[in-house]
PDB file of all heavy atoms in Angstrom:
ATOM      1  N   ALA R  17      23.900  11.407   6.037  1.00 97.00           N
ATOM      2  CA  ALA R  17      24.715  10.443   5.260  1.00 97.00           C
ATOM      3  C   ALA R  17      26.219  10.520   5.644  1.00 97.00           C
ATOM      4  O   ALA R  17      26.888   9.564   5.855  1.00 97.00           O
ATOM      5  CB  ALA R  17      24.602  10.685   3.759  1.00 97.00           C
ATOM      6  N   ILE R  18      26.655  11.789   5.841  1.00 97.00           N
ATOM      7  CA  ILE R  18      28.064  12.011   6.225  1.00 97.00           C
ATOM      8  C   ILE R  18      28.327  11.536   7.631  1.00 97.00           C
ATOM      9  O   ILE R  18      29.383  10.956   7.923  1.00 97.00           O
ATOM     10  CB  ILE R  18      28.491  13.526   6.070  1.00 97.00           C
ATOM     11  CG1 ILE R  18      28.484  13.816   4.548  1.00 97.00           C
ATOM     12  CG2 ILE R  18      29.776  13.793   6.706  1.00 97.00           C
ATOM     13  CD1 ILE R  18      28.578  15.342   4.278  1.00 97.00           C
ATOM     14  N   ALA R  19      27.326  11.727   8.513  1.00 96.00           N
ATOM     15  CA  ALA R  19      27.444  11.208   9.901  1.00 96.00           C
ATOM     16  C   ALA R  19      27.613   9.713   9.903  1.00 96.00           C
ATOM     17  O   ALA R  19      28.320   9.136  10.694  1.00 96.00           O
ATOM     18  CB  ALA R  19      26.272  11.673  10.698  1.00 96.00           C
ATOM     19  N   ALA R  20      26.878   9.066   8.988  1.00 96.00           N
ATOM     20  CA  ALA R  20      26.929   7.596   8.962  1.00 96.00           C
ATOM     21  C   ALA R  20      28.143   7.069   8.221  1.00 96.00           C
ATOM     22  O   ALA R  20      28.669   6.033   8.587  1.00 96.00           O
ATOM     23  CB  ALA R  20      25.623   7.018   8.278  1.00 96.00           C
ATOM     24  N   VAL R  21      28.578   7.778   7.172  1.00 96.00           N
ATOM     25  CA  VAL R  21      29.679   7.396   6.351  1.00 96.00           C
ATOM     26  C   VAL R  21      30.648   8.598   6.226  1.00 96.00           C
ATOM     27  O   VAL R  21      30.520   9.360   5.224  1.00 96.00           O
ATOM     28  CB  VAL R  21      29.261   6.955   4.966  1.00 96.00           C
ATOM     29  CG1 VAL R  21      30.402   6.312   4.155  1.00 96.00           C
ATOM     30  CG2 VAL R  21      28.099   5.872   5.102  1.00 96.00           C
ATOM     31  N   PRO R  22      31.494   8.860   7.211  1.00 96.00           N
ATOM     32  CA  PRO R  22      32.263  10.047   7.201  1.00 96.00           C
ATOM     33  C   PRO R  22      33.113  10.344   5.909  1.00 96.00           C
ATOM     34  O   PRO R  22      33.373  11.517   5.599  1.00 96.00           O
ATOM     35  CB  PRO R  22      33.190   9.912   8.438  1.00 96.00           C
ATOM     36  CG  PRO R  22      32.439   8.920   9.310  1.00 96.00           C
ATOM     37  CD  PRO R  22      31.712   8.001   8.372  1.00 96.00           C
ATOM     38  N   GLU R  23      33.520   9.270   5.264  1.00 96.00           N
ATOM     39  CA  GLU R  23      34.363   9.457   4.127  1.00 96.00           C
ATOM     40  C   GLU R  23      33.659   9.844   2.819  1.00 96.00           C
ATOM     41  O   GLU R  23      34.251  10.075   1.792  1.00 96.00           O
ATOM     42  CB  GLU R  23      35.294   8.241   3.893  1.00 96.00           C
ATOM     43  CG  GLU R  23      34.509   6.920   3.636  1.00 96.00           C
ATOM     44  CD  GLU R  23      34.262   6.134   4.900  1.00 96.00           C
ATOM     45  OE1 GLU R  23      33.776   6.699   5.930  1.00 96.00           O
ATOM     46  OE2 GLU R  23      34.464   4.914   4.884  1.00 96.00           O
ATOM     47  N   ILE R  24      32.330   9.789   2.902  1.00 96.00           N
ATOM     48  CA  ILE R  24      31.611  10.071   1.687  1.00 96.00           C
ATOM     49  C   ILE R  24      31.637  11.509   1.258  1.00 96.00           C
ATOM     50  O   ILE R  24      31.661  12.414   2.099  1.00 96.00           O
ATOM     51  CB  ILE R  24      30.123   9.565   1.814  1.00 96.00           C
ATOM     52  CG1 ILE R  24      29.514   9.225   0.487  1.00 96.00           C
ATOM     53  CG2 ILE R  24      29.260  10.537   2.586  1.00 96.00           C
ATOM     54  CD1 ILE R  24      28.194   8.428   0.551  1.00 96.00           C
ATOM     55  N   GLN R  25      31.584  11.767  -0.030  1.00 96.00           N
ATOM     56  CA  GLN R  25      31.505  13.139  -0.609  1.00 96.00           C
ATOM     57  C   GLN R  25      30.189  13.276  -1.338  1.00 96.00           C
ATOM     58  O   GLN R  25      29.820  12.397  -2.118  1.00 96.00           O
ATOM     59  CB  GLN R  25      32.677  13.329  -1.559  1.00 96.00           C
ATOM     60  CG  GLN R  25      34.009  13.434  -0.867  1.00 96.00           C
ATOM     61  CD  GLN R  25      35.126  13.792  -1.846  1.00 96.00           C
ATOM     62  OE1 GLN R  25      34.908  14.017  -3.061  1.00 96.00           O
ATOM     63  NE2 GLN R  25      36.351  13.907  -1.334  1.00 96.00           N
ATOM     64  N   ILE R  26      29.441  14.344  -0.990  1.00 97.00           N
ATOM     65  CA  ILE R  26      28.122  14.586  -1.592  1.00 97.00           C
ATOM     66  C   ILE R  26      28.335  15.577  -2.794  1.00 97.00           C
ATOM     67  O   ILE R  26      28.860  16.634  -2.578  1.00 97.00           O
ATOM     68  CB  ILE R  26      27.141  15.130  -0.594  1.00 97.00           C
ATOM     69  CG1 ILE R  26      27.018  14.173   0.561  1.00 97.00           C
ATOM     70  CG2 ILE R  26      25.802  15.287  -1.262  1.00 97.00           C
ATOM     71  CD1 ILE R  26      26.564  12.769   0.294  1.00 97.00           C
TER      72      ILE R  26
END
Side-chain angles (χ1 to χ4, degrees):
I18 292 170
V21 187
E23 60 267 48
I24 204 165
Q25 292 184 0
I26 306 298

